[in-house]
Amino acid sequence: MSFGDGIKIVLVEPAGERNIGSIARVMKNMGLTALVLVNPQCDPFSEEARLMAVHGADVLQGAMVVGSLPEGLRDCQRAIATTARPRGIPTKLETPREALPWLWEKNINSALIFGPEDRGLSNQELSYAQRFICIPSNPEYPSLNLAQAVGVCAYELYQHFHNQQSPPTNQEEDTELASLEVLEGYYQHLESVLLKINYLYPHTAPAKMEKFRRLINRAHLQPQEVAMLRGILRQAEWAIAQNREK
Amino acid sequence: MSFGDGIKIVLVEPAGERNIGSIARVMKNMGLTALVLVNPQCDPFSEEARLMAVHGADVLQGAMVVGSLPEGLRDCQRAIATTARPRGIPTKLETPREALPWLWEKNINSALIFGPEDRGLSNQELSYAQRFICIPSNPEYPSLNLAQAVGVCAYELYQHFHNQQSPPTNQEEDTELASLEVLEGYYQHLESVLLKINYLYPHTAPAKMEKFRRLINRAHLQPQEVAMLRGILRQAEWAIAQNREK
């Protein structure tokens, strides 16, 4: 899939080695490969960072380190900046779900920019972007960990990609359902056993069986599940007969 | 907002102190407050954990530590389990976006269950849930860090909450669901009867019961339906004993 190369994750002055490692991991999880580090305030290739990246180590290793934000955005046509809260930005703040799909377009290079852990993006840094997103969160404590913020955005991008490229296959369709005939066979069998053990009496049977049918129908049984339930009935009949013979 | 109290985040045997702290933080970010730790493999209240929780320290401090998954689910009516990939689960795997809104309903306690960092939830653990989600991710490296997985789900829940603002009232007004504790009582009873009639043997019981739990969980039983099913079991026990006496 040529999804991840066209969208860069740009971290401005990240200070946490573990955060950078975690970000490489979640980028790999979500099919993103291009990581740009603007003037990092720590060693992004440290042991700590690599440990957190796990199988995203190649994303970390391939990260591009640059001295300034414009340098990091050089070949991009579109950029979205993230911000923790409205701070007098004259443009509209959008949600990731609304805005992020815009980054993903053929023959377009684009960037998603995140600020430093402690201060977020400055107004000057924000001004390099064309659109702005804020991750919806609890007003009492809106500030997400940087790696979590990248995770949520990468997840939203992947969701969008995933839903476009290949609509989710309906797994229910792969699950073969028992035919009504097979189900009917089970209900008949069940009724006869319930009559045998005096749980049902001929005059109560129809009403009780209706409840039972409704319950079982809700479970959308597969053929092998009906076979299992009938196995239980046969075994119960056997247990009763065994004791009868003794 | 009374959003976060009704939905528990349940971590089974978490082993990373930092992960637990990060999870407390992102829960707070997304308005969730109830954290349950099942048999944690580390000190969840360590300095490391508290440092990562930052302003989510109250969520961490309020975490309930329990010895087993059923204990953690005792007062819940609904549970969703997370799984990294299909592993022969005969039920439908859903995305967080599809399934998570189901956890949030007035007067319903619900749980979202996550497995240990290294192995995920076992089939036995999965069988306590009624629905199953898998976070869509890159097939080349689908395994998310535990805190990131919780983050994505908490974010989806908050998004849903944010877009709705008031929890949906139960549309099937009369439909009260059986608590997981009541269901558990039924499963135990069923297992003992199936052993008695030689349908189950001690060595096959866990695997077979797992299939049965999954089947029954899909039916979303009401308390009176569980009572009906237990009535059948009692009557079967009676029928076997009756014949024995003859």
Side-chain angles (χ1 to χ4, degrees), chain B residues 5 12 23 33 45 52-53 62 84 87 102 114 186 191 214-215 217 223 228:
Chain B
D5 303 334
V12 175
I23 286 165
T33 54
F45 307 113
M52 293 305 286
R87 44 169 109 199
W102 181 68
F114 294 85
Y186 167 63
E191 184 169 352
R214 237 177 256 144
L215 183 168
N217 280 344
M228 181 174 84

Side-chain angles (χ1 to χ4, degrees), chain A residues 76-81 91 94 102 126-132:
Chain A
C76 293
Q77 285 89 39
R78 297 180 179 179
I80 292 180
T91 23
E94 298 173 279
W102 180 69
L126 286 169
S127 69
Y128 290 104
Q130 297 127 308
R131 292 173 77 168
F132 307 90

Side-chain angles (χ1 to χ4, degrees), chain A residues 2-70:
Chain A
S2 61
F3 161 60
D5 304 335
I7 303 175
K8 291 179 186 180
I9 298 296
V10 179
L11 308 181
V12 176
E13 298 189 2
E17 296 174 359
R18 284 192 193 133
N19 273 342
I20 297 174
S22 299
I23 287 166
R25 175 174 179 176
V26 80
M27 284 176 64
K28 181 80 174 251
N29 290 150
M30 297 301 164
L32 296 168
T33 54
L35 176 60
V36 176
L37 305 168
V38 177
N39 191 20
Q41 304 295 297
C42 62
D43 176 8
F45 307 112
S46 72
E47 186 62 20
E48 284 279 275
R50 256 180 294 143
L51 275 174
M52 294 305 286
V54 197
H55 298 298
D58 53 339
V59 172
L60 183 65
Q61 215 50 47
M64 191 169 79
V65 177
V66 297
S68 71
L69 184 52

Side-chain angles (χ1 to χ4, degrees), chain A residues 1 18 22 25-26 28-31 53-56 96-97 135-145 147-148 151-152 155-156 158-159 162-163 170-172 175 194 197-199 208 211-212 215 218-222 225 228-229 231-232 235-236 238-240 243-244 246, chain B residues 1 18 22 25-26 28-31 53-56 90 92-93 95-97 135-145 147-148 151-152 155-156 158-159 162-163 194 197-199 208 211-212 215 218-222 225 228-229 231-232 235-236 238-240 243-244 246:
Chain A
M1 79 186 178
R18 284 192 193 133
S22 299
R25 175 174 179 176
V26 80
K28 181 80 174 251
N29 290 150
M30 297 301 164
V54 197
H55 298 298
R97 198 164 294 172
I135 297 174
S137 58
N138 179 4
E140 279 175 39
Y141 185 30
S143 168
L144 269 73
N145 160 271
Q148 288 281 7
V152 160
Y155 162 77
E156 279 289 1
Y158 189 79
Q159 278 277 306
H162 200 247
N163 292 341
N170 192 340
Q171 285 171 14
E172 237 173 354
T175 317
L194 294 182
I197 65 170
N198 293 346
Y199 177 81
K208 283 255 182 185
K211 285 182 188 168
F212 208 85
L215 183 170
R218 286 206 306 270
H220 303 295
L221 297 187
Q222 296 157 37
E225 291 178 323
M228 183 173 86
L229 291 175
I232 293 176
Q235 196 63 27
W238 173 86
I240 292 165
N243 289 317
R244 204 162 267 164
K246 273 175 204 163
Chain B
M1 79 187 177
R18 284 195 192 128
S22 300
R25 175 173 178 177
V26 80
K28 181 80 174 248
N29 290 150
M30 296 302 162
V54 195
H55 299 297
K92 195 179 156 202
L93 267 185
T95 65
R97 197 164 297 171
I135 297 174
S137 58
N138 179 4
E140 279 174 40
Y141 184 30
S143 167
L144 269 74
N145 162 270
Q148 288 281 4
V152 161
Y155 162 77
E156 279 288 0
Y158 189 80
Q159 277 277 306
H162 198 68
N163 293 338
L194 294 183
I197 64 169
N198 292 345
Y199 177 80
K208 283 255 181 183
K211 287 182 187 167
F212 208 85
L215 183 168
R218 285 207 307 270
H220 305 295
L221 297 187
Q222 296 158 36
E225 291 177 323
M228 181 174 84
L229 292 174
I232 293 176
Q235 196 61 29
W238 173 87
I240 292 165
N243 289 316
R244 208 165 263 163
K246 274 174 199 162

Side-chain angles (χ1 to χ4, degrees), chain B residues 99-111:
Chain B
L100 291 177
W102 181 68
L103 292 181
W104 183 50
E105 194 167 298
K106 248 183 197 152
N107 305 321
I108 288 278
N109 284 319
S110 59

